[in-house]
């Protein structure tokens, strides 16, 4: 099991590459939660995520023979970029296996850092299986994304920074995918401040850690399904589970709606862009997934900012729905002149802004003398959205709320 000394030694190795990222108190989120809430902005890290810490520490400890043979790894994206950059800085050849559906931005970034990228499998676990084939076939050193004590120690340098910048913290909230980050952070913090509570957060669609801790052995789920692709693993690691069992106080889950809301709020209130995995810690605080006291000093780790731009619009839309700021409805209209104008005037009176209109007379589900009207509306909040629906229904229209 890793020690505080391991983490401190790792800081000496990675300090020239990994940045000491900001830790800032958020007035907005403190007011929303009632806690004294601070954000560890690891999305500002080099490569956009914490993974450079563990990757750099692992490659720095390779033997000369291992450096000559090169390394291989599997990753959904952030670890891939960390290994690619660390290997390039050390002059080591790197092959990275990524799932076929990895975000395009992460694939391009990994290649841009100098690694050879192969796309295999539908998720991290299938990509990992192929990477281990390359490990055996090409005699490369496998750099595990999380289940490696040297990697864990590197990730733990983030915890040292939290203690340095916020020594009076009460609770730290950390995302869990495979468990490498929370293992390193928990050791770094608990060994210095044993009374600090360490809370881990998983996405509901990739939640294996809680069951693993309960059973005392690794529990693997059949598949993963979450917008938080950076923590979308089927299980935690054997070695990370050992550390988590000793140092982590509680594990909670958040769903994709809560993640999307946190991500959208970070953009609007903090002007900070994170990926889904980077939003889960804040999502856990705002959704009260765990109990905390008023004015409790909480640090939420925003572990990455590498979101694919194609996905960003969808996630923001989900977040706006959760905030009551976006309303999508359908209405059945009589197919006669003036009906569309009548609906438009009702919507205008409510003060809503129209994003999009789709008017369909040809759908099989619509009567011959009718038309289906689909409206996408910008609203102020959930109460405003409800007022719009009420106003339309008061005029005799049947309204179906789609989102």
């Amino acid at each position: 099991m890793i020690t505080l000394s391991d983490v401190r030694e790792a800081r000496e190795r990675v300090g020239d590459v990994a940045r000491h990222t900001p830790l800032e108190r958020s007035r907005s989120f403190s007011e929303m939660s009632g806690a004294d809430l601070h954000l560890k902005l690891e999305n500002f890290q080099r490569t956009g995520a914490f993974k450079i810490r563990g990757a750099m520490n692992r490659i720095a400890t390779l033997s000369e023979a291992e450096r000559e043979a090169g390394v291989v790894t599997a990753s959904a994206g952030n670890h891939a970029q960390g290994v690619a950059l660390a290997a390039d800085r050390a002059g080591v050849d790197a092959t990275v296996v990524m799932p076929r559906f990895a975000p395009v931005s992460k694939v391009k970034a990994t290649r841009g850092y100098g690694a050879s990228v192969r796309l295999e499998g539908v998720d991290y676990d299938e990509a990992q299986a192929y990477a281990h084939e390359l490990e055996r076939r090409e005699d490369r050193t496998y750099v595990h994304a999380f289940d490696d004590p040297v990697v864990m120690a590197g990730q733990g340098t983030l915890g040292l920074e939290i203690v340095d910048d916020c020594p009076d913290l009460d609770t730290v909230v950390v995302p869990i995918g495979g468990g490498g980050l929370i293992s390193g952070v928990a050791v770094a913090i608990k060994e210095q401040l044993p009374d600090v509570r360490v809370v881990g957060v998983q996405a509901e669609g990739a939640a294996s850690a809680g069951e693993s801790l309960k059973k005392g052995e690794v529990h693997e789920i059949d598949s993963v399904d979450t917008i938080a692709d950076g923590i979308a693993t089927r299980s935690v690691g054997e070695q990370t589970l050992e550390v988590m069992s000793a140092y982590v106080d509680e594990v909670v889950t958040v769903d994709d709606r809560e993640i999307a809301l946190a991500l959208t709020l970070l953009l609007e209130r903090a002007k900070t862009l994170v990926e889904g995995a980077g939003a889960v810690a804040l999502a856990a605080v705002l959704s009260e997934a765990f109990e905390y006291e008023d004015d409790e000093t909480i640090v939420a780790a925003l572990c990455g900012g590498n979101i694919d731009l194609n996905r960003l619009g969808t996630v923001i839309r989900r977040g706006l729905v959760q905030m009551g700021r976006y309303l999508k409805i359908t209405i059945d209209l009589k197919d006669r002149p003036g009906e569309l104008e009548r609906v438009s005037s009702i919507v205008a009176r409510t003060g809503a802004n129209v994003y999009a209109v789709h008017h369909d007379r040809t759908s099989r589900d619509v009567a011959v003398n009718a038309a289906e009207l689909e409206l996408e509306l910008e609203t102020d909040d959930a109460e405003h959205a409800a007022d719009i629906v009420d106003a339309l229904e008061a005029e005799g229209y049947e309204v179906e709320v789609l989102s």
Side-chain angles (χ1 to χ4, degrees):
M1 189 180 296
I2 64 171
T3 66
L4 180 59
S5 294
D6 294 328
V7 180
R8 285 176 169 158
E9 289 173 7
R11 178 155 61 177
E12 296 300 315
R13 297 190 190 101
V14 308
D16 290 340
V17 177
R19 298 184 176 121
H20 185 130
T21 51
L23 192 152
E24 297 180 357
R25 183 182 186 274
S26 170
R27 179 177 177 180
S28 294
F29 294 127
S30 293
E31 290 176 353
M32 291 173 64
S33 65
D36 178 27
L37 187 55
H38 301 246
L39 305 177
K40 177 59 172 171
L41 299 173
E42 191 66 5
N43 54 310
F44 292 162
Q45 183 56 262
R46 187 165 288 171
T47 74
F50 70 94
K51 290 288 191 176
I52 184 62
R53 299 173 182 268
M56 194 69 204
N57 196 42
R58 183 67 185 91
I59 287 177
T61 59
L62 292 174
S63 69
E64 191 57 41
E66 289 171 330
R67 292 166 63 90
E68 286 292 326
V71 298
V72 63
T73 193
S75 170
N78 288 335
H79 178 64
Q81 293 172 70
V83 169
L85 178 58
D88 183 66
R89 290 289 295 263
V92 174
D93 184 70
T95 297
V96 177
V97 184
M98 303 176 74
R100 288 194 298 271
F101 305 112
V104 173
S105 59
K106 294 183 178 182
V107 175
K108 288 185 175 180
T110 303
R111 287 181 172 138
Y113 286 125
S116 171
V117 176
R118 302 193 189 188
L119 302 178
E120 296 287 341
V122 298
D123 59 15
Y124 167 78
D125 295 271
E126 290 189 5
Q128 183 185 51
Y130 184 79
H132 281 306
E133 286 184 26
L134 294 181
E135 174 192 11
R136 293 186 291 270
R137 189 188 313 160
E138 300 179 5
D139 198 30
R140 292 175 178 265
T141 296
Y142 186 80
V143 181
H144 204 287
F146 50 86
D147 206 26
D148 180 323
V150 181
V151 171
M152 284 185 262
Q155 319 302 26
T157 60
L158 186 148
L160 297 179
E161 294 175 12
I162 291 174
V163 173
D164 289 345
D165 296 340
C166 189
D168 296 327
L169 81 159
D170 298 307
T171 298
V172 61
V173 189
V174 185
I176 300 177
L181 176 63
I182 196 169
S183 294
V185 168
V187 169
I189 291 177
K190 286 276 199 178
E191 286 296 319
Q192 297 180 86
L193 302 172
D195 293 333
V196 170
R197 178 171 54 154
V198 177
V199 177
V201 189
Q202 289 208 292
E204 189 178 77
S208 65
E211 193 66 20
S212 296
L213 288 167
K214 188 185 303 181
K215 291 181 175 179
E217 62 182 21
V218 172
H219 170 73
E220 183 173 319
I221 58 178
D222 294 332
S223 61
V224 294
D225 183 15
T226 175
I227 62 174
D229 58 272
I231 54 173
T233 60
R234 294 186 201 171
S235 70
V236 297
E238 294 279 357
Q239 297 180 82
T240 60
L241 179 60
E242 181 184 8
V243 179
M244 286 191 289
S245 298
Y247 287 94
V248 175
D249 297 286
E250 185 177 357
V251 173
V252 299
T253 61
V254 291
D255 61 32
D256 278 0
R257 295 173 304 166
E258 292 161 337
I259 297 169
L261 175 59
L263 189 153
T264 306
L265 286 169
L266 279 163
L267 273 173
E268 183 172 65
R269 300 294 183 88
K271 309 301 181 283
T272 296
L273 175 65
V274 299
E275 60 189 281
V280 297
L282 179 61
V285 178
L286 296 181
S287 66
E288 298 183 352
F290 62 95
E291 295 183 2
Y292 52 85
E293 301 293 330
D294 289 343
D295 297 324
E296 181 174 331
T297 301
I298 300 175
V299 173
L302 309 186
C303 65
N306 294 318
I307 189 167
D308 188 82
L309 292 181
N310 291 325
R311 173 170 286 187
L312 180 59
T314 301
V315 174
I316 291 175
R317 188 63 53 83
R318 287 194 186 188
L320 290 172
V321 169
Q322 291 300 106
M323 296 163 69
R325 301 264 296 278
Y326 171 83
L327 177 65
K328 186 175 182 180
I329 58 176
T330 60
I331 307 168
D332 288 336
L333 300 180
K334 293 294 183 183
D335 190 15
R336 60 193 180 195
E339 280 297 298
L340 182 57
E341 182 180 2
R342 182 170 175 238
V343 170
S344 297
S345 66
I346 297 169
V347 171
R349 287 201 305 271
T350 66
N353 185 39
V354 178
Y355 276 131
V357 178
H358 181 69
H359 187 258
D360 187 5
R361 292 188 180 92
T362 60
S363 171
R364 293 180 180 179
D365 298 327
V366 178
V368 174
N369 63 341
E372 182 181 79
L373 178 66
E374 183 178 283
L375 294 175
E376 296 180 47
L377 306 172
E378 179 185 8
T379 53
D380 296 337
D381 50 34
E383 183 178 356
H384 186 207
D387 288 344
I388 295 167
V389 174
D390 290 343
L392 289 165
E393 290 179 339
E395 295 291 334
Y397 293 105
E398 291 186 10
V399 181
E400 180 183 0
V401 177
L402 301 180
S403 61

